[in-house]
Amino acid sequence: MFLAWREIKHTKLRYSLIALIMIMIIWLVLFVTGLANGLASDNASAIKESAASYFLIEKDSDNRFARSTVTEKQVSDVEKDLGKKATGLRVQMSTVSTKKDTNKTDVSYFSFDSTSFLKPELTDGHFGKSGSNEVVADQKLKNQGYSLGSTIKDAATNQTFKITGFTKKQTYSHTGVVFLTPVQWKEVQVPQKATDNTYNAIALDITEDKATTLNYSDLVTASKNDIVTNIPGYSEEQGSLTMMITFLYIIAAFVLTVFFYVITIQKVDQFGMLKAIGAKTSYLAKSLLSQIATLSVISLLIGNLLTYGVAALLPESMPFNLTPITALASSLLFLAVALIGSLLSLYRVAKVDAIEAIGGNN
């Protein structure tokens, strides 16, 4: 460590440039990771954060709510068997606006029994009174200009509702969720569907062991992950971002390997001299690894600070989510990539011949 730190201080410019490149790479990796997590949450947080552990959904629906139809009798049968552990769920995409504003906002309607376990927690306001037109919405609508007391109008039926409460992390397919009671649900149905009492799924609050024993005709049990991964565009979106992150790590490995190898080549004479005066290869290898680890740790600290600093400046409308655990895992993976990239340099150090390095064969 003594030799490694002494060399870093002696050639500050060289190692500052390498550190700068490492900072830019880890900054980009962390930012894209946070963006990927943010988009995943924005696409499916209403399911991920739901109190439901499993869902009963129509067979051959590919675990998609929009393709599933569950009858009122099926819901009643399941509720008789499981009691309060089951409740019917309706999901519908729609568009709303305010009375005074022509700008429209896409939303997702979620409807279920307001006394069930699916009832969300509020961050602001209160739940609407029974039989009223008061609703609770996700704070995504709040970020888009809506507030407590705002009146929203359904684009298809012109039915109006008053927002009396806000929740958080309740988004579906990149839209904020508006929670409706069964009565309110019927009010936003177009005339030909107003008498339709079907559901999209049955939400279940049960254990895995219990889920495996369920057997209902024309229904299959789907986990949260099954539902999330089949939200239209979710898997494609996350697959693209994951591929980007993977290639960033691969690029980082190649770049760092080349940089450290070139620096090692430039120091062959120095390594030869040190070997000539008795330095062991293991000592030189430890010095090189200490040097790389020191630069990596410093770069990671600065990169993390930059990432969280920029995240604090991002608008609320931008989906960005980077937890400390995710940042730590990404940082450790980057450190591992840097150390793996040093293997070629270590091999070169081990092959240095003291006599050749100091010109003993000339």
Side-chain angles (χ1 to χ4, degrees), residues 43 64 173-174 228-240:
N43 205 348
R64 293 190 179 185
S173 195
H174 297 301
V228 168
T229 55
N230 283 284
I231 293 175
Y234 181 90
S235 297
E236 294 80 2
E237 180 181 85
Q238 290 301 300
S240 298

Side-chain angles (χ1 to χ4, degrees), residues 213-278:
T213 64
L214 297 179
N215 184 18
Y216 294 98
S217 177
D218 298 324
L219 296 178
V220 293
T221 306
S223 66
K224 279 186 180 182
N225 188 60
D226 293 331
I227 300 296
V228 168
T229 55
N230 283 284
I231 293 175
Y234 181 90
S235 297
E236 294 80 2
E237 180 181 85
Q238 290 301 300
S240 298
L241 290 169
T242 301
M243 184 177 293
M244 288 176 59
I245 296 170
T246 301
F247 274 106
L248 284 173
Y249 279 113
I250 294 174
I251 292 169
F254 277 105
V255 170
L256 296 178
T257 297
V258 170
F259 272 120
F260 287 118
Y261 185 73
V262 170
I263 291 175
T264 301
I265 293 296
Q266 293 174 343
K267 298 188 298 182
V268 166
D269 291 347
Q270 299 175 29
F271 287 130
M273 185 66 70
L274 289 169
K275 281 190 173 183
I277 61 177

Side-chain angles (χ1 to χ4, degrees), residues 152-351:
I152 59 175
K153 181 175 67 174
D154 182 73
T157 62
N158 291 324
Q159 182 65 39
T160 59
F161 300 101
K162 181 180 178 181
I163 299 176
T164 59
F166 283 107
T167 64
K168 65 177 181 178
K169 294 183 179 180
Q170 295 293 328
T171 55
Y172 181 79
S173 195
H174 297 301
T175 62
V177 171
V178 176
F179 295 93
L180 305 180
T181 65
V183 173
Q184 292 170 337
W185 172 267
K186 291 184 178 181
E187 293 174 348
V188 295
Q189 302 305 300
V190 291
Q192 60 266 31
K193 294 181 64 179
T195 59
D196 187 359
N197 291 323
T198 60
Y199 296 78
N200 295 101
I202 304 174
L204 307 174
D205 181 20
I206 58 176
T207 63
E208 183 179 358
D209 291 339
K210 182 65 177 178
T212 58
T213 64
L214 297 179
N215 184 18
Y216 294 98
S217 177
D218 298 324
L219 296 178
V220 293
T221 306
S223 66
K224 279 186 180 182
N225 188 60
D226 293 331
I227 300 296
V228 168
T229 55
N230 283 284
I231 293 175
Y234 181 90
S235 297
E236 294 80 2
E237 180 181 85
Q238 290 301 300
S240 298
L241 290 169
T242 301
M243 184 177 293
M244 288 176 59
I245 296 170
T246 301
F247 274 106
L248 284 173
Y249 279 113
I250 294 174
I251 292 169
F254 277 105
V255 170
L256 296 178
T257 297
V258 170
F259 272 120
F260 287 118
Y261 185 73
V262 170
I263 291 175
T264 301
I265 293 296
Q266 293 174 343
K267 298 188 298 182
V268 166
D269 291 347
Q270 299 175 29
F271 287 130
M273 185 66 70
L274 289 169
K275 281 190 173 183
I277 61 177
K280 295 182 178 179
T281 300
S282 59
Y283 175 80
L284 298 177
K286 289 179 182 178
S287 175
L288 180 60
L289 288 175
S290 299
Q291 198 173 75
I292 295 173
T294 300
L295 288 173
S296 298
V297 170
I298 293 173
S299 301
L300 287 169
L301 290 174
I302 298 174
N304 275 270
L305 290 174
L306 283 173
T307 302
Y308 280 105
V310 171
L313 301 175
L314 294 176
E316 291 289 337
S317 58
M318 179 171 286
F320 184 89
N321 181 24
L322 185 66
T323 64
I325 294 178
T326 302
L328 178 61
S330 298
S331 298
L332 291 175
L333 181 57
F334 185 85
L335 179 60
V337 167
L339 293 176
I340 291 172
S342 68
L343 294 178
L344 185 60
S345 298
L346 291 176
Y347 176 78
R348 188 68 183 87
V349 169
K351 290 297 182 180

Side-chain angles (χ1 to χ4, degrees), residues 87-122:
T87 186
L89 173 65
R90 297 181 175 107
V91 178
Q92 176 180 301
M93 307 295 292
S94 188
T95 303
V96 300
S97 63
T98 62
K99 285 185 175 181
K100 299 179 181 179
D101 193 356
T102 58
N103 292 330
K104 296 182 178 181
T105 303
D106 292 327
V107 298
S108 294
Y109 290 139
F110 273 40
S111 176
F112 45 80
D113 184 352
S114 58
T115 63
S116 72
F117 63 89
L118 286 180
K119 190 174 183 179
E121 294 184 5
L122 297 183

